[in-house]
Amino acid sequence: MNMLEQWLSKTLNRLNLVDSMEQLKGFTRLSYSEEEWKAMDAFTEIAHEMGLEVRMDEAGNRIARWNPTPESESLPAIAIGSHLDTVVNGGGYDGVAGVLCGLGAIKLVKETKKRLIDPIEVICFASEESARFGISTIGSKAMTGLLDVEGVADIKDATGITVKEAIESKGLIMEQIVNAKRNDSEIKSFIELHIEQGELLQDANCDIGYVRGIACPTRLTITIKGRAGHTGTTPMGKRKDALVAIAPLITFISLTAEEISKTSPFPLVATASTIQLYPNVMNVIPDVVHLGVDIRSIDDHLKSEMTQKIKEKCTFLEKEFGVVAKIECLVNESSVFLHPNQLKKLQVIGEGMGLKGLELDSGAGHDVMNMAKRWPASLLFIPSKDGISHHPEEYSSIQDLRKGTEILAKFVLQEASGSK
Amino acid sequence: MNMLEQWLSKTLNRLNLVDSMEQLKGFTRLSYSEEEWKAMDAFTEIAHEMGLEVRMDEAGNRIARWNPTPESESLPAIAIGSHLDTVVNGGGYDGVAGVLCGLGAIKLVKETKKRLIDPIEVICFASEESARFGISTIGSKAMTGLLDVEGVADIKDATGITVKEAIESKGLIMEQIVNAKRNDSEIKSFIELHIEQGELLQDANCDIGYVRGIACPTRLTITIKGRAGHTGTTPMGKRKDALVAIAPLITFISLTAEEISKTSPFPLVATASTIQLYPNVMNVIPDVVHLGVDIRSIDDHLKSEMTQKIKEKCTFLEKEFGVVAKIECLVNESSVFLHPNQLKKLQVIGEGMGLKGLELDSGAGHDVMNMAKRWPASLLFIPSKDGISHHPEEYSSIQDLRKGTEILAKFVLQEASGSK
């Protein structure tokens, strides 16, 4: 391990608040939780040690900034960013990799002793994952002015705590989140580095992925209302069992996504990922079920087609089982295409470094999809072992993190204007 | 409404701790909860007002006893009993009807001024429903010596509270529950009256059901272990989605129960009634699912056949979806047949009263199934409106409660030996 790899390894542990990345239960740092905040505090401490200024904005995002000269203070920043929150029992690389490599890139840039003028930022976005509230990228939505503050304030987590309560428990004020929106002139360009969370890079034996676009999710909640009754005394023929009625839909969603993917130029993935059953006790026939469905494709038309097919299936199930179905659309985000010129620059730098690269699309949403709506933005992937993510076995090697850090540093040096 | 009906209506409200039986959310009095205890306290108060002695045994059962003479104290009792606990958002008749009609019967017997010697008891069993801990009829199991005290002590409810903790929060001592077991000589005969929780009596326009046997449940927990992954980045063909793998089993259980019922002399009902999904968040593919299945038939062979078919289906699903299935048997109780002679006596009394009766079987378990293993025991049903039970709309009329009370009173008068 060279010096940079040692630093990355140590800093990876620090950002994850552990002494070793081997954690059986993985990492749980939900949106606006104490755990997310502790990781953010670790970020702040590391950035301070590196001589960066750190501020927290009104949405809880932490912004670490290096102003090479006094005049840098008023100039637009070259920004690198990602997040530190995780799903329940998630991995320690999703999000963390981007924050870590961003810090590493500034470290490398500073070590060159080149006399730069443009400020460099590492942004640690708050609450990227939707695991707690079903809303993703809260921090980057706030920074870009895309957050519907009123619309999300009362959404509750599984324990009944609202977004507003969670945010205010961190000393922030819900109504002031709008002030986290930054001016166009504050940022020159934005890059996010992220683990792939897929197997394409590994399968192609590549070092780095250049991402063309992001397949943003459509999310539905499907509710089936049947009729409760005693499991022992209600004859099979007289039931309106909500779980029996929804079971074929789970199968249908999986099979239809496979079918659409086979017959289209772009893949589509669809997952019935959450279920709430009522009353969920042994001797009562299920009355109500809520099924959460996550649909993604770079092709927005395919997502609409999938949603339409689900609606038709629900109408069929209503008739077959004598139940009532309701479909609610929680999220319907259009796919985001990244900045082609910036992508090209990164590819040239990567080739110059001897990195084997692959152009690909992202099936997961990232903070960059919001930033891309305001500033020239790009997304780099580093390989994920076996594509495993949102899981304790999520893993990217220190060597891949180093390569990611180096390409970020070279990009920053190329983009930043220097003093003569 | 005659005087008895007025008394039943008022006492029904008191046992349910309400001023009106119209309750949108129904009744929630889980096993060994504060709510169950308050209803038991109401029972005690009513029994005291009627001049009965009330004691609580080591399992929390309340036993109200009328000793017509001093010598009655050492004689075996003619006992009537049921329970006051409910499922979540259940009805106010399931269990309560039996306790209420038992009290009403003593009231009628006392009003005849006949000089009896045999003591009469109304037993209010603790914790009949399995809604909280997945264990049913805890109180009557304890009274009959059938409770596996060590086996159940550490079973937890959904909030992590154990049976032992719940019981001890009521001032009882887990290790002393064995002392709730009564001697053979303490009881002469036992009757439970219960709402049908089905539609047979209503459909046949009958007043009373004479129950031949009880179809006790077999209960399974089926666990499917797949593999988690990001919903956006894992191609459909590379998934081991636990929910997709278990969905066909839900359909299979429902269809197979219908099929078995059509081709057998006795019906079988089977219900996938509970589900727990992990991690149950929008952007992670389901990893683990637990499905709770409740199977009932008066014919124990049919229950074994159903269990066997579920096992075979799980083996098939393991291969089809690349997952691992595990089947755990939580409960496997044999069917219980009630006392034929006592049933005959009740039928003769009912006919004498002009009640239109029906012989039938019970698809639900009841406290009487434990009592029947020790003493001559029988079970009477009164009609349930539309068969709805374990639901706020559960309903039996005051007229039907009166008829139930009257047949109990006549049985007690016939069975009890009197002084000359």
Side-chain angles (χ1 to χ4, degrees), chain A residues 57-129:
Chain A
D57 73 9
E58 291 83 350
N61 299 309
R62 308 277 176 119
I63 302 162
R65 181 170 173 124
W66 177 44
N67 289 312
T69 68
E71 69 185 290
S72 308
E73 281 173 32
S74 58
L75 292 175
I78 298 167
I80 303 166
S82 197
H83 63 96
L84 294 178
D85 64 316
T86 72
V87 300
V88 174
N89 301 131
Y93 297 85
D94 173 356
V96 181
V99 174
L100 173 68
C101 294
L103 290 171
I106 295 196
K107 178 178 153 71
L108 290 184
V109 168
K110 288 183 91 171
E111 284 170 3
T112 63
K113 311 269 186 196
K114 288 224 172 110
R115 296 174 68 186
L116 303 182
I117 295 172
D118 284 348
I120 324 288
E121 287 185 0
V122 179
I123 304 172
C124 187
F125 293 107
S127 304
E128 193 264 355
E129 300 287 356

Side-chain angles (χ1 to χ4, degrees), chain A residues 405-419:
Chain A
T405 303
E406 287 169 348
I407 191 169
L408 288 176
K410 282 189 195 294
F411 176 81
V412 168
L413 281 169
Q414 177 177 305
E415 289 299 292
S417 59
S419 62

Side-chain angles (χ1 to χ4, degrees), chain B residues 61-77:
Chain B
N61 299 308
R62 308 279 175 117
I63 302 163
R65 182 171 172 122
W66 178 45
N67 288 313
T69 68
E71 69 184 291
S72 307
E73 282 173 32
S74 59
L75 292 176

Side-chain angles (χ1 to χ4, degrees), chain A residues 29 64 110 124 160 178 182 212 214 257 267 320 323 325 328 386 395 403:
Chain A
R29 294 189 291 264
K110 288 183 91 171
C124 187
V178 290
R182 297 181 78 173
R212 291 170 300 207
I214 297 173
E320 189 171 356
V323 295
E328 207 183 338
D386 300 333
Y395 176 76
K403 290 171 194 166

Side-chain angles (χ1 to χ4, degrees), chain B residues 236-413:
Chain B
M236 297 309 294
K238 289 212 165 191
R239 297 177 174 214
K240 292 181 181 181
D241 184 321
L243 188 59
V244 169
I246 212 161
L249 184 66
I250 297 165
T251 306
F252 176 84
I253 289 167
S254 172
L255 292 178
T256 307
E258 248 182 294
E259 197 180 294
I260 290 178
S261 296
K262 275 182 195 152
T263 56
S264 311
F266 296 98
L268 174 136
V269 287
T271 317
S273 49
T274 69
I275 197 163
Q276 275 87 40
L277 191 69
Y278 299 92
N280 209 27
V281 295
M282 260 294 190
N283 57 354
V284 186
I285 295 166
D287 183 9
V288 175
V289 61
H290 302 295
L291 190 73
V293 181
D294 180 287
I295 304 167
R296 307 198 195 202
S297 175
I298 196 86
D299 182 344
D300 291 332
H301 294 293
L302 294 184
K303 294 197 295 173
S304 303
E305 186 188 331
M306 184 76 204
T307 305
Q308 186 53 35
K309 281 180 193 284
I310 288 173
K311 279 183 187 162
E312 287 162 13
K313 183 73 176 177
C314 283
T315 305
F316 174 81
L317 295 173
E318 281 186 315
K319 283 180 197 146
E320 188 171 356
F321 294 97
V323 295
V324 177
K326 199 182 81 180
I327 301 179
E328 207 183 337
C329 183
L330 299 179
V331 171
N332 188 18
E333 289 170 3
S334 297
S335 296
V336 171
F337 289 87
L338 297 161
H339 199 272
N341 287 352
Q342 196 164 308
L343 192 78
K344 194 71 213 159
K345 285 184 195 174
L346 284 161
Q347 279 175 303
V348 171
I349 293 170
E351 280 162 26
M353 290 169 63
L355 298 181
K356 193 172 171 204
L358 186 70
E359 276 196 22
L360 74 179
D361 301 315
S362 173
H366 296 291
D367 289 306
V368 70
M369 71 194 179
N370 299 315
M371 299 298 278
K373 289 175 185 162
R374 298 277 311 280
W375 296 284
S378 42
L379 175 60
L380 293 175
F381 277 163
I382 61 167
S384 288
K385 183 160 187 284
D386 300 333
I388 297 169
S389 183
H390 284 185
H391 191 274
E393 288 172 24
E394 180 180 277
Y395 177 76
S396 294
S397 73
I398 291 292
Q399 290 71 35
D400 286 328
L401 289 164
R402 174 180 52 75
K403 290 171 195 167
T405 303
E406 288 169 347
I407 192 169
L408 288 176
K410 283 190 194 294
F411 177 81
V412 168
L413 282 169

Side-chain angles (χ1 to χ4, degrees), chain B residues 173-280:
Chain B
I173 297 161
M174 196 70 198
E175 290 70 26
Q176 293 188 4
I177 284 194
V178 290
N179 300 326
K181 182 180 176 183
R182 298 180 77 174
N183 293 328
D184 287 346
S185 62
E186 290 183 51
I187 291 175
K188 186 173 172 180
S189 67
F190 178 79
I191 299 192
E192 179 163 5
L193 175 143
H194 206 279
I195 61 167
E196 184 199 342
Q197 305 176 283
E199 294 175 88
L200 296 176
L201 292 176
Q202 177 179 289
D203 289 353
N205 200 25
C206 284
D207 303 302
I208 200 96
Y210 303 104
V211 183
R212 292 169 300 205
I214 297 174
C216 297
T218 294
R219 286 179 176 164
L220 312 174
T221 299
I222 297 157
T223 300
I224 297 258
K225 172 127 188 54
R227 192 177 55 201
H230 194 290
T231 55
T233 61
T234 314
M236 297 309 294
K238 289 212 165 191
R239 297 177 174 214
K240 292 181 181 181
D241 184 321
L243 188 59
V244 169
I246 212 161
L249 184 66
I250 297 165
T251 306
F252 176 84
I253 289 167
S254 172
L255 292 178
T256 307
E258 248 182 294
E259 197 180 294
I260 290 178
S261 296
K262 275 182 195 152
T263 56
S264 311
F266 296 98
L268 174 136
V269 287
T271 317
S273 49
T274 69
I275 197 163
Q276 275 87 40
L277 191 69
Y278 299 92
N280 209 27

